[in-house]
Amino acid sequence: MFFVDTIEVPGLGNRSYLAGGERTAVAVDPPRDIDQVIAAAARRGARISHVVETHVHNDYVTGGLELARVTGAAYLVPAGARVSFARVPVHDGDRTEIDADAGLALRALATPGHTPHHTSYVLEENGTAVAVFTGGSLLIGTVGRPDLVEPRLTERLARAQHASAHRLAAELPEETAVLPTHGFGSFCSSSQAEGSDTTIGKEKASNEALTRDVDAFVADLLAGLDDIPAYYTHIGPANAAGPAPVDLTPPAVADSEEIAARLAAGEWVVDLRNRVAFAEGHLSGSFNFEAEGQLATYLAWLIPWGKPVTLLAESPEQLAAAQRELVRVGIDRPAAAAVGVPADWVREGETPASFPRGTFADLARRRTAGGVVVLDIRRASERAGGHVDGSVHIPIHALHRRLDEVPAGEVWVHCASGMRAAVAASLLDAAGRDVVAVDDSFDAAEKAGLTVPSVRVRTETGTGAREAK
């Protein structure tokens, strides 16, 4: 008998896995906070004998090196990956015994495309394939994006993705479970995955990499590629160098005077509370990145890399959860933190700031009076599917560098659901702009009588559906 436990990393849209028998187990693409992997193994009563990477990741800092060190496990990394640490290099066809009593072994399959060295691992029970860990190769209904390594390699890697998908489909039984790392909201996916589980047979019937010819597939894949989060340029090198262990102890506590001094020094002060609470009252100059949203993705994307950050949380639990998310993308230690409410964070004699929220129906009524700027901060692929007529477009990840491009007037800022609009509203508010955060679904724009033109675009292989809720 064997088991496969899924370790969700929902904030980044990824999954890691622990698989094994009664005695020993293998960890696949582990997150940087390795304590949850160790806890999963302890619940199973299994020793982690092996840690494997499908590739050198770009979207999160791996915990593989540290997990192998702590547990004494063998650390398997594709031989073609250029890394600066000792590891067991894995080649195509290599077979590694995981649990002899359970008849479990891993067989390596070279599946280049997401990266040149990408490797998938087939979990075999007594020689029969029962699951395949596909990393960023074959995902649920799609494949991993091929443009994260080098622009000149993108088309070649896209063609390799098609070939790798076909290799997996040809060599594995249809009932083999497909267990990808990316594809659940990760920007490493070329499109949003649909569903939570799949098999080789299901993918053969529905995945465009397996149902379309290579030229058509590659053309649409390349046309649908979207913006790459800025922090990806730092994650790949960090993983290749070998990430340091994490420190999740609470940060130093900052009082109102220290917080004010950090703001004055140009550091980032990030309020983790929900967007409704932030709009109603917050420390002037602070930015709102909801702890319940895609905190790590958007904070790491927007913040100038290496800029000190102070976290403001409503509870110690919220602060601890945020720290855990941020170390996964290389924001290792907050400069300081404070827990409480805005009244605790402002200096004596000062009062919290605020700004209004509204709906698209509110915007439609207000717009008739004139003097309103509508700011669309969605990605270009989303805007191509429809936009408010006359709106200004600056994607959220570029807004902090382009605030001076927002026209004068009362700014009504929107995204597709409200979360990113809250981030943008906080940036504008901190810059002294008169802002209203549209906290509404974009579907309501047309219902409110706002003109929403659209153009014909393919969405099957694009990333426009990957909107943070």
Side-chain angles (χ1 to χ4, degrees):
M1 293 293 291
F2 71 93
F3 69 86
V4 177
D5 289 342
T6 300
I7 299 168
E8 299 279 359
V9 189
L12 296 177
N14 286 323
R15 290 178 175 176
S16 298
Y17 302 94
L18 183 74
E22 292 185 358
R23 298 179 57 192
T24 51
V26 57
V28 181
D29 290 343
R32 195 176 186 194
D33 46 327
I34 61 174
D35 55 334
Q36 58 182 324
V37 184
I38 293 172
R43 287 192 294 270
R44 289 288 186 177
R47 177 177 63 86
I48 298 175
S49 59
H50 294 80
V51 178
V52 303
E53 304 281 8
T54 56
H55 61 295
V56 174
H57 308 280
N58 286 286
D59 64 330
Y60 70 94
V61 182
T62 181
L65 183 62
E66 179 66 2
L67 182 60
R69 185 189 70 81
V70 168
T71 62
Y75 190 29
L76 279 60
V77 178
R82 295 188 175 184
V83 296
S84 302
F85 48 83
R87 88 291 192 201
V88 178
V90 178
H91 301 85
D92 184 40
D94 283 357
R95 197 168 184 275
T96 303
E97 186 175 81
I98 301 301
D99 190 312
D101 291 347
L104 293 179
L106 280 184
R107 177 165 55 91
L109 284 181
T111 48
H114 187 48
T115 66
H117 61 266
H118 192 283
T119 300
S120 297
Y121 298 89
V122 182
L123 181 65
E124 297 178 339
E125 182 181 38
N126 297 318
T128 299
V130 292
V132 56
F133 301 104
T134 55
S137 183
L138 186 66
L139 311 184
I140 300 178
T142 185
V143 295
R145 59 192 299 170
D147 61 330
L148 302 180
V149 177
E150 157 62 53
R152 291 171 296 181
L153 296 178
T154 297
E155 182 173 353
R156 187 189 313 170
L157 290 176
R159 292 182 178 276
Q161 280 289 53
H162 187 271
S164 292
H166 279 262
R167 182 186 185 189
L168 289 165
E171 295 190 16
L172 298 176
E174 292 199 351
E175 62 272 17
T176 306
V178 175
L179 304 174
T181 300
H182 305 313
F184 309 96
S186 167
F187 281 86
C188 270
S189 171
S190 64
S191 66
Q192 179 58 55
E194 297 292 339
S196 60
D197 60 81
T198 191
T199 63
I200 289 292
K202 290 179 181 178
E203 293 307 305
K204 287 171 70 172
S206 61
N207 194 308
E208 290 200 341
L210 298 172
T211 60
R212 308 185 73 199
D213 70 79
V214 62
D215 290 333
F217 169 76
V218 168
D220 281 337
L221 177 64
L222 298 183
L225 293 173
D226 212 333
D227 299 312
I228 300 172
Y231 66 92
Y232 279 26
T233 61
H234 305 283
I235 301 300
N239 283 330
V246 299
D247 179 2
L248 292 175
T249 59
V253 177
D255 60 17
S256 60
E257 292 294 335
E258 181 180 347
I259 296 171
R262 290 186 176 280
L263 278 172
E267 298 181 10
W268 277 37
V269 174
V270 171
D271 191 324
L272 301 168
R273 296 173 304 139
N274 71 70
R275 58 184 182 261
V276 176
F278 183 88
E280 291 177 348
H282 57 269
L283 177 65
S284 180
S286 63
F287 303 141
N288 182 214
F289 290 80
E290 292 181 301
E292 293 77 16
Q294 287 181 287
L295 167 66
T297 293
Y298 283 99
L299 179 55
W301 197 339
L302 270 63
I303 192 170
W305 200 251
K307 176 81 73 173
V309 59
T310 295
L311 299 179
L312 306 179
E314 61 186 3
S315 69
E317 294 76 19
Q318 186 180 67
L319 175 61
Q323 279 186 259
R324 182 177 289 270
E325 282 203 46
L326 293 177
V327 299
R328 294 169 179 164
V329 292
I331 301 178
D332 285 5
R333 290 292 295 170
V339 173
V341 295
D344 301 323
W345 305 328
V346 298
R347 291 178 295 187
E348 187 175 352
E350 297 178 345
T351 57
S354 64
F355 55 76
R357 297 160 50 249
T359 64
F360 280 107
D362 295 330
L363 171 59
R365 289 189 290 268
R366 175 66 182 85
R367 208 176 187 192
T368 59
V372 172
V373 177
V374 180
L375 177 62
D376 182 349
I377 51 89
R378 297 173 301 159
R379 295 184 299 279
S381 60
E382 298 172 273
R383 185 174 171 84
H387 60 273
V388 176
D389 191 30
S391 60
V392 176
H393 180 229
I394 303 177
I396 180 64
H397 56 270
L399 181 61
H400 63 298
R401 300 190 304 271
R402 298 172 57 187
L403 288 170
D404 59 348
E405 297 179 29
V406 181
E410 182 181 82
V411 183
W412 286 63
V413 58
H414 80 84
C415 58
S417 65
M419 186 276 286
R420 290 176 295 174
V423 175
S426 72
L427 296 176
L428 291 159
D429 178 71
R433 296 301 301 269
D434 186 8
V435 64
V436 179
V438 178
D439 195 356
D440 201 0
S441 169
F442 187 71
D443 294 340
E446 188 170 12
K447 297 176 184 176
L450 297 169
T451 302
V452 187
S454 62
V455 296
R456 184 176 179 83
V457 293
R458 284 190 61 84
T459 58
E460 292 89 344
T461 57
T463 51
R466 185 164 52 251
E467 159 62 6
K469 298 300 180 185

